[in-house]
Amino acid sequence: TLTIEPGTVVASQTGVGGSLAVTRGSKIVAVGTQDEPIIFTSTSDVATWTAGDPKTGTWRAAANEWGNLTIMGKAYISDSQTAGNTKTPNANNTTPMEGLVPAFAGDPDTLYGGGNDDDDSGSLKYVSIRYGGKVIGLNNELNGLSLGGIGRETDIENVEIMNNVDDGIEVWGGTVNFKYVSIWNVGDDSFDIDQGWRG
């Protein structure tokens, strides 16, 4: 379990494309507060802040400054594009996450899906994701928040996606629910759902 404290700023060096991927069976507990949100952003964004205060930052018409946050779980997905999978939700369906590069064929650290709709990948509360995203190739991009096979025991609420190259949030299958989400100034869909999401 990766725990991120309220008020933490996770800033990737601009242009390096740093990302955070949470694999199946792991959890992220990033629980901020209204007064102390957790911010994922770039060093270029932080450079506009006065005395480290994000409320003083200057908004810029920019994105593509770092990667994204990706979370992969073990909930049901439907995916007939991957060999051996079915187009209806099935516990044997797993597939590689868009935007990740496997270390070897079948690398389990890049897969999502399974047979547990109650899977718990942790909590995201009062989280802001800013100035991110990457285009890896045709139909292969990093969204602000990428969620694959996430179960309903995962908590996602009060989340903001601002300035992203591709989608704000993309969800592949699973049963995760959302409460209070703000998505703006993104290059493609604000909220993209695939592979039989049932939240």
Side-chain angles (χ1 to χ4, degrees):
T1 299
L2 170 64
T3 301
I4 302 176
E5 299 294 334
T8 299
V9 176
V10 181
S12 176
Q13 185 176 350
T14 302
V16 172
S19 291
L20 177 60
V22 180
T23 59
R24 289 189 305 167
S26 299
K27 292 183 182 180
I28 181 171
V29 178
V31 178
T33 67
Q34 185 171 349
D35 292 330
E36 292 186 290
I38 294 167
I39 300 172
F40 291 87
T41 192
S42 70
T43 52
S44 291
D45 178 27
V46 174
T48 72
W49 303 356
T50 301
D53 182 357
K55 293 178 183 176
T56 65
T58 302
W59 182 84
R60 299 167 296 115
N64 196 42
E65 292 185 344
W66 64 287
N68 80 330
L69 174 58
T70 295
I71 306 174
M72 295 162 282
K74 298 179 180 180
Y76 283 87
I77 63 169
S78 61
D79 174 28
S80 59
Q81 301 299 307
T82 300
N85 284 352
T86 63
K87 64 182 178 180
T88 56
N90 186 300
N92 294 317
N93 286 352
T94 61
T95 197
M97 174 55 77
E98 178 178 290
L100 299 184
V101 179
F104 52 88
D107 181 359
D109 288 341
T110 63
L111 299 177
Y112 63 89
N116 183 8
D117 278 343
D118 293 324
D119 193 34
D120 185 355
S121 294
S123 299
L124 296 181
K125 296 182 180 179
Y126 289 102
V127 170
S128 179
I129 300 172
R130 309 173 177 182
Y131 298 106
K134 292 283 179 188
V135 175
I136 311 299
L138 183 63
N139 295 319
N140 188 12
E141 304 93 3
L142 293 178
N143 309 287
L145 178 60
S146 293
L147 302 168
I150 304 300
R152 66 174 58 92
E153 291 300 314
T154 306
D155 299 310
I156 299 180
E157 56 186 77
N158 293 293
V159 171
E160 168 190 67
I161 312 294
M162 181 188 79
N163 290 38
N164 198 79
V165 170
D166 194 51
D167 302 330
I169 296 176
E170 187 161 3
V171 185
W172 290 269
T175 51
V176 65
N177 296 305
F178 298 88
K179 185 176 182 180
Y180 306 124
V181 174
S182 172
I183 302 169
W184 62 286
N185 203 42
V186 295
D188 194 10
D189 303 313
S190 290
F191 194 79
D192 190 351
I193 57 174
D194 306 281
Q195 297 179 350
W197 172 62
R198 292 161 291 124

PDB file of all heavy atoms in Angstrom, residues 136-156:
ATOM      1  N   ILE A 136       1.603   7.963 -26.658  1.00  0.00           N
ATOM      2  CA  ILE A 136       2.644   6.962 -26.878  1.00  0.00           C
ATOM      3  C   ILE A 136       2.650   6.533 -28.340  1.00  0.00           C
ATOM      4  O   ILE A 136       3.685   6.334 -28.947  1.00  0.00           O
ATOM      5  CB  ILE A 136       2.411   5.727 -25.975  1.00  0.00           C
ATOM      6  CG1 ILE A 136       2.166   6.132 -24.518  1.00  0.00           C
ATOM      7  CG2 ILE A 136       3.560   4.738 -26.085  1.00  0.00           C
ATOM      8  CD1 ILE A 136       3.283   6.859 -23.853  1.00  0.00           C
ATOM      9  N   GLY A 137       1.452   6.376 -28.905  1.00  0.00           N
ATOM     10  CA  GLY A 137       1.299   5.950 -30.287  1.00  0.00           C
ATOM     11  C   GLY A 137      -0.178   5.986 -30.646  1.00  0.00           C
ATOM     12  O   GLY A 137      -1.011   6.434 -29.858  1.00  0.00           O
ATOM     13  N   LEU A 138      -0.543   5.509 -31.829  1.00  0.00           N
ATOM     14  CA  LEU A 138      -1.927   5.501 -32.275  1.00  0.00           C
ATOM     15  C   LEU A 138      -2.787   4.698 -31.302  1.00  0.00           C
ATOM     16  O   LEU A 138      -2.492   3.528 -31.021  1.00  0.00           O
ATOM     17  CB  LEU A 138      -2.018   4.914 -33.683  1.00  0.00           C
ATOM     18  CG  LEU A 138      -3.407   4.907 -34.319  1.00  0.00           C
ATOM     19  CD1 LEU A 138      -3.922   6.326 -34.507  1.00  0.00           C
ATOM     20  CD2 LEU A 138      -3.372   4.163 -35.645  1.00  0.00           C
ATOM     21  N   ASN A 139      -3.838   5.315 -30.766  1.00  0.00           N
ATOM     22  CA  ASN A 139      -4.731   4.677 -29.798  1.00  0.00           C
ATOM     23  C   ASN A 139      -4.002   4.151 -28.561  1.00  0.00           C
ATOM     24  O   ASN A 139      -4.386   3.143 -27.968  1.00  0.00           O
ATOM     25  CB  ASN A 139      -5.523   3.530 -30.449  1.00  0.00           C
ATOM     26  CG  ASN A 139      -6.458   4.042 -31.522  1.00  0.00           C
ATOM     27  OD1 ASN A 139      -7.092   5.067 -31.358  1.00  0.00           O
ATOM     28  ND2 ASN A 139      -6.517   3.317 -32.633  1.00  0.00           N
ATOM     29  N   ASN A 140      -2.928   4.827 -28.188  1.00  0.00           N
ATOM     30  CA  ASN A 140      -2.137   4.430 -27.021  1.00  0.00           C
ATOM     31  C   ASN A 140      -1.663   5.696 -26.316  1.00  0.00           C
ATOM     32  O   ASN A 140      -0.618   6.245 -26.656  1.00  0.00           O
ATOM     33  CB  ASN A 140      -0.960   3.555 -27.453  1.00  0.00           C
ATOM     34  CG  ASN A 140      -0.225   2.959 -26.264  1.00  0.00           C
ATOM     35  OD1 ASN A 140      -0.696   2.999 -25.135  1.00  0.00           O
ATOM     36  ND2 ASN A 140       0.951   2.415 -26.532  1.00  0.00           N
ATOM     37  N   GLU A 141      -2.485   6.152 -25.351  1.00  0.00           N
ATOM     38  CA  GLU A 141      -2.194   7.429 -24.697  1.00  0.00           C
ATOM     39  C   GLU A 141      -2.269   7.279 -23.181  1.00  0.00           C
ATOM     40  O   GLU A 141      -2.827   6.315 -22.668  1.00  0.00           O
ATOM     41  CB  GLU A 141      -3.202   8.511 -25.117  1.00  0.00           C
ATOM     42  CG  GLU A 141      -3.317   8.753 -26.602  1.00  0.00           C
ATOM     43  CD  GLU A 141      -4.415   7.954 -27.275  1.00  0.00           C
ATOM     44  OE1 GLU A 141      -5.149   7.224 -26.573  1.00  0.00           O
ATOM     45  OE2 GLU A 141      -4.532   8.047 -28.512  1.00  0.00           O
ATOM     46  N   LEU A 142      -1.709   8.253 -22.494  1.00  0.00           N
ATOM     47  CA  LEU A 142      -1.849   8.347 -21.048  1.00  0.00           C
ATOM     48  C   LEU A 142      -2.930   9.371 -20.742  1.00  0.00           C
ATOM     49  O   LEU A 142      -2.821  10.532 -21.144  1.00  0.00           O
ATOM     50  CB  LEU A 142      -0.535   8.773 -20.395  1.00  0.00           C
ATOM     51  CG  LEU A 142       0.619   7.776 -20.469  1.00  0.00           C
ATOM     52  CD1 LEU A 142       1.857   8.356 -19.813  1.00  0.00           C
ATOM     53  CD2 LEU A 142       0.249   6.447 -19.829  1.00  0.00           C
ATOM     54  N   ASN A 143      -3.976   8.927 -20.063  1.00  0.00           N
ATOM     55  CA  ASN A 143      -5.052   9.815 -19.641  1.00  0.00           C
ATOM     56  C   ASN A 143      -4.668  10.440 -18.302  1.00  0.00           C
ATOM     57  O   ASN A 143      -3.720  10.002 -17.655  1.00  0.00           O
ATOM     58  CB  ASN A 143      -6.342   9.000 -19.500  1.00  0.00           C
ATOM     59  CG  ASN A 143      -6.609   8.169 -20.736  1.00  0.00           C
ATOM     60  OD1 ASN A 143      -6.979   8.707 -21.771  1.00  0.00           O
ATOM     61  ND2 ASN A 143      -6.406   6.870 -20.645  1.00  0.00           N
ATOM     62  N   GLY A 144      -5.426  11.420 -17.854  1.00  0.00           N
ATOM     63  CA  GLY A 144      -5.125  11.988 -16.547  1.00  0.00           C
ATOM     64  C   GLY A 144      -5.157  10.918 -15.472  1.00  0.00           C
ATOM     65  O   GLY A 144      -4.218  10.741 -14.699  1.00  0.00           O
ATOM     66  N   LEU A 145      -6.258  10.164 -15.434  1.00  0.00           N
ATOM     67  CA  LEU A 145      -6.424   9.044 -14.509  1.00  0.00           C
ATOM     68  C   LEU A 145      -6.903   7.852 -15.314  1.00  0.00           C
ATOM     69  O   LEU A 145      -7.982   7.887 -15.907  1.00  0.00           O
ATOM     70  CB  LEU A 145      -7.436   9.414 -13.418  1.00  0.00           C
ATOM     71  CG  LEU A 145      -7.776   8.341 -12.376  1.00  0.00           C
ATOM     72  CD1 LEU A 145      -6.529   7.902 -11.607  1.00  0.00           C
ATOM     73  CD2 LEU A 145      -8.848   8.851 -11.428  1.00  0.00           C
ATOM     74  N   SER A 146      -6.096   6.789 -15.357  1.00  0.00           N
ATOM     75  CA  SER A 146      -6.441   5.568 -16.086  1.00  0.00           C
ATOM     76  C   SER A 146      -6.784   4.487 -15.076  1.00  0.00           C
ATOM     77  O   SER A 146      -5.995   4.206 -14.165  1.00  0.00           O
ATOM     78  CB  SER A 146      -5.267   5.105 -16.956  1.00  0.00           C
ATOM     79  OG  SER A 146      -5.009   6.016 -17.993  1.00  0.00           O
ATOM     80  N   LEU A 147      -7.970   3.862 -15.238  1.00  0.00           N
ATOM     81  CA  LEU A 147      -8.465   2.878 -14.278  1.00  0.00           C
ATOM     82  C   LEU A 147      -8.877   1.610 -15.006  1.00  0.00           C
ATOM     83  O   LEU A 147      -9.824   1.625 -15.790  1.00  0.00           O
ATOM     84  CB  LEU A 147      -9.663   3.448 -13.517  1.00  0.00           C
ATOM     85  CG  LEU A 147      -9.418   4.752 -12.754  1.00  0.00           C
ATOM     86  CD1 LEU A 147     -10.742   5.360 -12.305  1.00  0.00           C
ATOM     87  CD2 LEU A 147      -8.504   4.505 -11.562  1.00  0.00           C
ATOM     88  N   GLY A 148      -8.195   0.504 -14.753  1.00  0.00           N
ATOM     89  CA  GLY A 148      -8.507  -0.758 -15.408  1.00  0.00           C
ATOM     90  C   GLY A 148      -8.945  -1.818 -14.424  1.00  0.00           C
ATOM     91  O   GLY A 148      -8.201  -2.161 -13.503  1.00  0.00           O
ATOM     92  N   GLY A 149     -10.172  -2.325 -14.581  1.00  0.00           N
ATOM     93  CA  GLY A 149     -10.659  -3.406 -13.735  1.00  0.00           C
ATOM     94  C   GLY A 149     -10.720  -3.045 -12.259  1.00  0.00           C
ATOM     95  O   GLY A 149     -10.402  -3.872 -11.405  1.00  0.00           O
ATOM     96  N   ILE A 150     -11.161  -1.837 -11.946  1.00  0.00           N
ATOM     97  CA  ILE A 150     -11.191  -1.379 -10.555  1.00  0.00           C
ATOM     98  C   ILE A 150     -12.516  -1.775  -9.898  1.00  0.00           C
ATOM     99  O   ILE A 150     -13.587  -1.534 -10.443  1.00  0.00           O
ATOM    100  CB  ILE A 150     -10.995   0.153 -10.478  1.00  0.00           C
ATOM    101  CG1 ILE A 150      -9.691   0.553 -11.169  1.00  0.00           C
ATOM    102  CG2 ILE A 150     -11.011   0.619  -9.025  1.00  0.00           C
ATOM    103  CD1 ILE A 150      -8.445  -0.061 -10.583  1.00  0.00           C
ATOM    104  N   GLY A 151     -12.431  -2.347  -8.698  1.00  0.00           N
ATOM    105  CA  GLY A 151     -13.609  -2.834  -7.996  1.00  0.00           C
ATOM    106  C   GLY A 151     -14.324  -1.776  -7.182  1.00  0.00           C
ATOM    107  O   GLY A 151     -13.783  -0.703  -6.903  1.00  0.00           O
ATOM    108  N   ARG A 152     -15.534  -2.107  -6.758  1.00  0.00           N
ATOM    109  CA  ARG A 152     -16.404  -1.149  -6.069  1.00  0.00           C
ATOM    110  C   ARG A 152     -15.941  -0.788  -4.671  1.00  0.00           C
ATOM    111  O   ARG A 152     -16.416   0.183  -4.090  1.00  0.00           O
ATOM    112  CB  ARG A 152     -17.842  -1.667  -6.038  1.00  0.00           C
ATOM    113  CG  ARG A 152     -18.074  -2.908  -5.233  1.00  0.00           C
ATOM    114  CD  ARG A 152     -19.562  -3.273  -5.130  1.00  0.00           C
ATOM    115  NE  ARG A 152     -20.203  -3.475  -6.414  1.00  0.00           N
ATOM    116  CZ  ARG A 152     -20.313  -4.648  -7.035  1.00  0.00           C
ATOM    117  NH1 ARG A 152     -19.804  -5.737  -6.484  1.00  0.00           N
ATOM    118  NH2 ARG A 152     -20.921  -4.733  -8.199  1.00  0.00           N
ATOM    119  N   GLU A 153     -15.024  -1.539  -4.082  1.00  0.00           N
ATOM    120  CA  GLU A 153     -14.513  -1.177  -2.755  1.00  0.00           C
ATOM    121  C   GLU A 153     -13.460  -0.071  -2.829  1.00  0.00           C
ATOM    122  O   GLU A 153     -13.008   0.437  -1.803  1.00  0.00           O
ATOM    123  CB  GLU A 153     -13.936  -2.404  -2.045  1.00  0.00           C
ATOM    124  CG  GLU A 153     -14.989  -3.413  -1.639  1.00  0.00           C
ATOM    125  CD  GLU A 153     -16.034  -2.854  -0.691  1.00  0.00           C
ATOM    126  OE1 GLU A 153     -15.635  -2.172   0.280  1.00  0.00           O
ATOM    127  OE2 GLU A 153     -17.245  -3.080  -0.922  1.00  0.00           O
ATOM    128  N   THR A 154     -13.072   0.318  -4.026  1.00  0.00           N
ATOM    129  CA  THR A 154     -12.151   1.438  -4.225  1.00  0.00           C
ATOM    130  C   THR A 154     -12.944   2.734  -4.121  1.00  0.00           C
ATOM    131  O   THR A 154     -14.022   2.850  -4.702  1.00  0.00           O
ATOM    132  CB  THR A 154     -11.486   1.340  -5.613  1.00  0.00           C
ATOM    133  OG1 THR A 154     -10.877   0.049  -5.735  1.00  0.00           O
ATOM    134  CG2 THR A 154     -10.448   2.426  -5.810  1.00  0.00           C
ATOM    135  N   ASP A 155     -12.410   3.706  -3.394  1.00  0.00           N
ATOM    136  CA  ASP A 155     -13.100   4.989  -3.203  1.00  0.00           C
ATOM    137  C   ASP A 155     -12.458   6.071  -4.064  1.00  0.00           C
ATOM    138  O   ASP A 155     -11.259   6.320  -3.952  1.00  0.00           O
ATOM    139  CB  ASP A 155     -13.021   5.423  -1.735  1.00  0.00           C
ATOM    140  CG  ASP A 155     -13.681   4.420  -0.809  1.00  0.00           C
ATOM    141  OD1 ASP A 155     -14.827   4.034  -1.086  1.00  0.00           O
ATOM    142  OD2 ASP A 155     -13.040   4.014   0.185  1.00  0.00           O
ATOM    143  N   ILE A 156     -13.274   6.713  -4.907  1.00  0.00           N
ATOM    144  CA  ILE A 156     -12.792   7.835  -5.718  1.00  0.00           C
ATOM    145  C   ILE A 156     -13.801   8.961  -5.593  1.00  0.00           C
ATOM    146  O   ILE A 156     -14.927   8.850  -6.076  1.00  0.00           O
ATOM    147  CB  ILE A 156     -12.585   7.435  -7.191  1.00  0.00           C
ATOM    148  CG1 ILE A 156     -11.537   6.317  -7.293  1.00  0.00           C
ATOM    149  CG2 ILE A 156     -12.167   8.643  -8.021  1.00  0.00           C
ATOM    150  CD1 ILE A 156     -11.245   5.839  -8.689  1.00  0.00           C
TER     151      ILE A 156
END
